[in-house]
Amino acid sequence: MTCEHAAPSLSALVDGELDAAAQPEVFAHLQSCAACRAFLADALRARGVVRRDRDALAIEADAVLPARPPGARRLASAWRAPSPALAWATFAIGVAALLLAAGITIGASAARRGAESAPRPAQEASTPGDDDANVVYVCSMPEYRVVSTPLPDAPK
Amino acid sequence: MTTDEALVRALRDGDDHALATLYERHRHALYAYSARMLGRAEEARDVVQDVFADLHARRATLPALRSVQAWLFTIARHRCLNALRAQRDHARLAPRPADVAHADASAPVLAGEEVALVRRALAALPDDLREALVLREYLDLPYAEIAAITECSESAVKSRLFRARQQLFERLHPVLHEGEAS
């Protein structure tokens, strides 16, 4: 066997891909050929260096690549449209909430206007103060209304 | 452990967790292949993401695959070859990697520089030789699978690997024979 024929087989030998039938001839050539032995030694040394690069690449891949595939990420963040029935129910609840809030607001302001325009007998009996205090006063002490009625003339 | 083929079937049936499992299983190898073929981390990352975006987009019509890994590498390979063509179209006047690698190979190698020298030496190899060497040395793929991915015969793989090693050893001489020189 010549070096020209042996060399490709040496590469396959390094990779564990050399046919068993071809191995005796290649080993016999190796015993007598220093150049081919040097090629084999270089292949093994180079593999060591390449493996260090491979290890570095694994670290690089973790730093560069996202944790999830692009398709899965899109799925995870995808917004799903609600069903029509759920959409209508949500809309109806929203409208009802708005109407309720508007009713409360209108009712409260009407009550406040009514309270302000109505005669406040209690105010006459009370000490001057702010309106809120008077309202509370009237509500909590209705008996003071009696005080506001005209008193009988004093006996002469 | 669930096989790749079972995961692809699950993906076809609408199980999107299968995609994440396939990604976790193959992303390092696809990145290593793409990074050493293209020499640029950003482009390698894009190739890996494109491969899985493609897998996701075609999940409903995926055929029964004999080897999912080979199928993924075939997609990555086509994208890498397209990217290499684009690189050359856009950088015809730039210094060729081969020139840089030869210049570096003649310089003394300091400790810690050998990995960088390996990368430059690989980049200087012809595409077909570099591809065979990367698939074998970085990914430990058998000749039959390398032949399937690169669409050539096993004897062609054997020949490419031999020629790739010859050229690599020449460029890595300062690293491989560092102790002998002193």
Side-chain angles (χ1 to χ4, degrees):
Chain A
M1 179 178 254
T2 63
C3 292
E4 191 180 350
H5 288 98
S9 296
L10 293 176
S11 195
L13 182 66
V14 169
D15 293 328
E17 296 262 0
L18 184 64
D19 291 341
Q23 287 181 11
E25 196 176 10
V26 172
F27 284 128
H29 176 78
L30 275 171
Q31 285 186 328
S32 62
C33 181
C36 285
R37 284 200 300 274
F39 180 91
L40 204 59
D42 278 354
L44 296 174
R45 286 193 200 112
R47 176 161 288 172
V49 182
V50 166
R51 292 291 152 98
R52 283 196 283 281
D53 183 35
R54 187 172 74 170
D55 295 343
L57 263 180
I59 296 168
E60 184 181 306
D62 283 333
V64 167
L65 293 175
R68 295 174 62 82
R73 188 170 56 222
R74 278 200 298 271
L75 284 171
S77 62
W79 180 80
R80 291 185 179 183
S83 67
L86 182 61
W88 277 111
T90 307
F91 177 73
I93 290 169
V95 169
L98 278 173
L99 289 174
L100 184 62
I104 289 171
T105 306
I106 291 168
S109 57
R112 185 185 181 92
R113 278 196 302 273
E116 284 173 353
S117 61
R120 297 182 181 179
Q123 272 187 323
E124 294 169 17
S126 66
T127 54
D130 59 62
D131 291 343
D132 289 342
N134 288 336
V135 169
V136 172
Y137 197 66
V138 168
C139 293
S140 60
M141 296 185 174
E143 65 271 18
Y144 273 85
R145 294 178 191 208
V146 176
V147 175
S148 68
T149 57
L151 294 172
D153 293 336
K156 293 180 181 178
Chain B
M1 189 177 72
T2 312
T3 64
D4 284 353
E5 290 68 30
L7 287 170
V8 166
R9 280 196 299 275
L11 183 62
R12 198 189 304 138
D13 294 339
D15 179 4
D16 290 309
H17 293 294
L19 183 72
T21 307
L22 286 167
Y23 178 74
E24 187 57 36
R25 201 173 280 180
H26 294 286
R27 65 187 180 126
H28 281 102
L30 287 167
Y31 180 82
Y33 170 78
S34 306
R36 286 298 156 266
M37 286 303 289
L38 300 174
R40 296 175 186 174
E42 296 80 13
E43 286 190 44
R45 178 200 59 204
D46 290 347
V47 166
V48 175
Q49 291 193 282
D50 285 350
V51 167
F52 283 94
D54 199 10
L55 180 62
H56 181 255
R58 293 160 65 174
R59 65 193 184 284
T61 57
L62 283 172
L65 300 172
R66 192 177 301 168
S67 166
V68 175
Q69 180 174 257
W71 188 82
L72 292 172
F73 271 102
T74 302
I75 298 176
R77 178 174 188 260
H78 287 141
R79 291 187 181 278
C80 283
L81 294 180
N82 287 338
L84 283 170
R85 274 192 287 273
Q87 279 183 15
R88 284 172 189 142
D89 286 346
H90 287 93
R92 287 185 192 283
L93 299 177
R96 294 176 57 203
D99 300 332
V100 176
H102 277 300
D104 286 343
S106 63
V109 180
L110 302 174
E113 283 187 347
E114 57 186 24
V115 168
L117 188 55
V118 167
R119 293 183 179 193
R120 287 195 292 270
L122 271 174
L125 292 176
D127 291 346
D128 58 341
L129 303 189
R130 180 167 73 256
E131 181 176 53
L133 201 60
V134 168
L135 290 171
R136 178 62 216 173
E137 291 288 357
Y138 285 78
L139 307 174
D140 291 329
L141 294 186
Y143 284 14
E145 195 150 354
I146 296 172
I149 292 168
T150 57
E151 298 167 341
C152 68
S153 65
E154 285 189 46
S155 61
V157 170
K158 184 177 169 183
S159 169
R160 286 177 190 178
L161 281 170
F162 167 64
R163 287 186 286 135
R165 285 182 168 126
Q166 265 189 323
Q167 295 186 28
L168 189 76
F169 300 165
E170 187 185 329
R171 292 189 170 92
L172 289 181
H173 192 273
V175 172
L176 301 179
H177 299 274
E178 200 171 5
E180 297 168 16
S182 57

